[in-house]
Amino acid sequence: MTAVLENRRGHYRRRNLLKVCLGVDKIMSSKGSASDAKTDAKRGLRVGVVGAGVMGSNHARVLAGLPDVTLVGIVDPLPEHRARAIALVGCRAFADLEELFDEGVDAITIAAPTHLHHEIALACITRNIHILVEKPVASTVEEGQDIVNAARSAGVTLMVGHVERFNPAVAAIKQAIAGEDILSIGITRVGPFPPRMSNVGVVIDLAVHDIDLIRWFTESDIVEVQPQLSSAVAEREDIALLQFRTASGVLAHINTNWLTPFKARSVTVATRGKYVMGDLLTRQVTECFGFKPDGSYSMRHLPVGHDEPLRAELIAFLDAVRTGNLPAVSGDEGVASLEIAIRCLEQPAKPAASAARKGPRRIAG
């Protein structure tokens, strides 16, 4: 077994060295990428994870249990993160990305802090490694576009990790409104302040999920943005009320904050023929239809699957790697949602009638 592993490692080192020397990794054609994808489909994929925080550890856990996938290891510079990953998943852990490259990988999922996405993604693309990048795709639109352009030039698969699309309740809503004339969308995503969060506010951490859902539900670009933001108890915005209009004329709003003591995730979609309500946590989706002049209507609960969203997302990514087909969430879609989120942060806010009281909230009672 040791000899087999050494032979495989040697094969990948020679292959990568040859590509670097010839510049193949930078000029690889789409035809070559499709050929590689067909080869990948005939064997198991070697996959790595960058980032051993909560999300990265979950990536590793899921990948370790997928058929025809070898989890090569997880990369994180922090010893405590690596130790946790080893304990939770039982996989190898590396302190440096080059160590993972040396082992030979076909694909990598990037769950590192957002400000590192650009550097890590380009390093992978240069080596012709397919990547899934967690949302948001990058810190800026320019960095996100760099990643998209590099992946396109290299002919590698790039997918953005907007995992909420793979929530079975979201999938049921999407199916229920297919072909409908959508009028409005309302999304609530609230909860308590996350101790791990330090460098972004609710718009980038939470609302970007729902910006992506609005674009996906309507299959239309967002053309108007009207944000109302507030920093009630945190340095960055912890309350956001966001209103949008799509190119197709749909009105949408997002209510998100870190002030609610419990998590709530809900979606409502009004069309000319029905009204759909979904709870993304309990995964219950209800459809109102058959509206009558007297105000009466019918209701029914829609069937909802039980898949783990992250598992479904990673399977979709690896399927795109194997087949060469377009990924479920493209790099362009990830950049478009990031651009709208940043517009929400940059839009001048209207002055409040009176200054908000600063400091922690008091609990009555």
Side-chain angles (χ1 to χ4, degrees):
M1 177 63 74
T2 301
V4 171
L5 290 174
E6 290 301 322
N7 287 339
R8 177 177 287 179
R9 292 169 187 164
H11 164 73
Y12 275 90
R13 291 191 185 101
R14 289 192 297 273
R15 187 181 73 173
N16 289 338
L17 178 60
L18 180 61
K19 287 181 179 178
V20 170
C21 291
L22 296 178
V24 175
D25 56 326
K26 296 184 179 179
I27 62 174
M28 185 175 184
S29 67
S30 298
K31 183 177 180 181
S33 176
S35 176
D36 283 350
K38 291 178 181 178
T39 301
D40 287 340
K42 297 177 182 179
R43 63 173 172 79
L45 292 175
R46 293 175 59 79
V47 184
V49 178
V50 179
V54 174
M55 198 64 192
S57 296
N58 280 326
H59 277 229
R61 169 185 59 80
V62 172
L63 289 167
L66 294 181
D68 300 320
V69 171
T70 298
L71 176 60
V72 178
I74 189 168
V75 177
D76 198 291
L78 299 179
E80 59 270 28
H81 283 189
R82 297 197 300 273
R84 180 178 62 189
I86 292 171
L88 289 175
V89 186
C91 65
R92 299 178 65 189
F94 309 101
D96 185 82
L97 186 58
E98 290 294 334
E99 295 179 66
L100 179 61
F101 289 155
D102 287 343
E103 296 298 319
V105 287
D106 301 298
I108 284 177
T109 68
I110 301 173
T114 303
H115 70 276
L116 299 175
H117 286 185
H118 182 254
E119 177 184 357
I120 296 169
L122 293 185
C124 294
I125 292 168
T126 298
R127 290 161 177 80
N128 199 43
I129 296 171
H130 307 284
I131 53 174
L132 180 147
V133 184
E134 269 298 340
K135 68 83 193 168
V137 63
S139 296
T140 67
V141 171
E142 292 74 20
E143 287 186 351
Q145 197 60 56
D146 278 349
I147 296 172
V148 171
N149 292 340
R152 185 174 292 125
S153 296
V156 305
T157 296
L158 164 63
M159 179 167 157
V160 181
H162 280 286
V163 71
E164 199 69 277
R165 285 202 198 183
F166 298 88
N167 185 317
V170 169
I173 294 170
K174 174 71 170 176
Q175 183 176 0
I177 62 177
E180 291 284 325
D181 184 6
I182 301 173
L183 302 176
S184 69
I185 298 173
I187 302 179
T188 296
R189 186 180 298 269
V190 298
F193 186 85
R196 63 179 176 82
M197 193 54 58
S198 60
N199 60 339
V200 298
V202 291
V203 171
I204 296 297
D205 185 52
L206 297 182
V208 73
H209 279 296
D210 305 311
I211 291 169
D212 176 71
L213 290 185
I214 291 168
R215 297 184 69 256
W216 189 51
F217 284 154
T218 62
E219 299 179 1
S220 180
D221 290 329
I222 292 172
V223 294
E224 291 183 26
V225 175
Q226 295 181 344
Q228 290 292 334
L229 311 176
S230 177
S231 301
V233 298
E235 180 180 351
R236 297 182 182 271
E237 84 284 351
D238 48 24
I239 306 173
L241 300 175
L242 312 175
Q243 297 185 62
F244 308 98
R245 183 189 295 271
T246 71
S248 59
V250 176
L251 298 182
H253 72 266
I254 297 172
N255 170 27
T256 186
N257 69 57
W258 279 331
L259 304 180
T260 308
F262 54 86
K263 282 187 176 183
R265 307 280 190 269
S266 65
V267 175
T268 60
V269 181
T271 78
R272 291 198 183 278
K274 62 178 67 173
Y275 187 80
V276 181
M277 303 173 288
D279 187 316
L280 307 190
L281 296 180
T282 63
R283 299 183 182 177
Q284 292 182 324
V285 178
T286 304
E287 180 181 79
C288 304
F289 62 99
F291 302 107
K292 302 293 178 59
D294 63 0
S296 64
Y297 57 89
S298 300
M299 293 181 65
R300 62 188 171 202
H301 295 296
L302 301 181
V304 178
H306 300 285
D307 293 343
E308 179 186 0
L310 181 59
R311 186 175 188 275
E313 177 185 64
L314 292 174
I315 289 174
F317 167 59
L318 297 177
D319 180 67
V321 170
R322 289 187 174 102
T323 63
N325 293 334
L326 291 175
V329 186
S330 70
D332 287 326
E333 290 177 297
V335 171
S337 294
L338 173 63
E339 190 271 334
I340 295 300
I342 291 175
R343 278 178 58 188
C344 290
L345 296 175
E346 294 176 343
Q347 191 97 350
K350 295 181 180 180
S354 61
R357 179 168 56 88
K358 298 294 183 181
R361 297 174 303 167
R362 294 180 179 275
I363 300 176

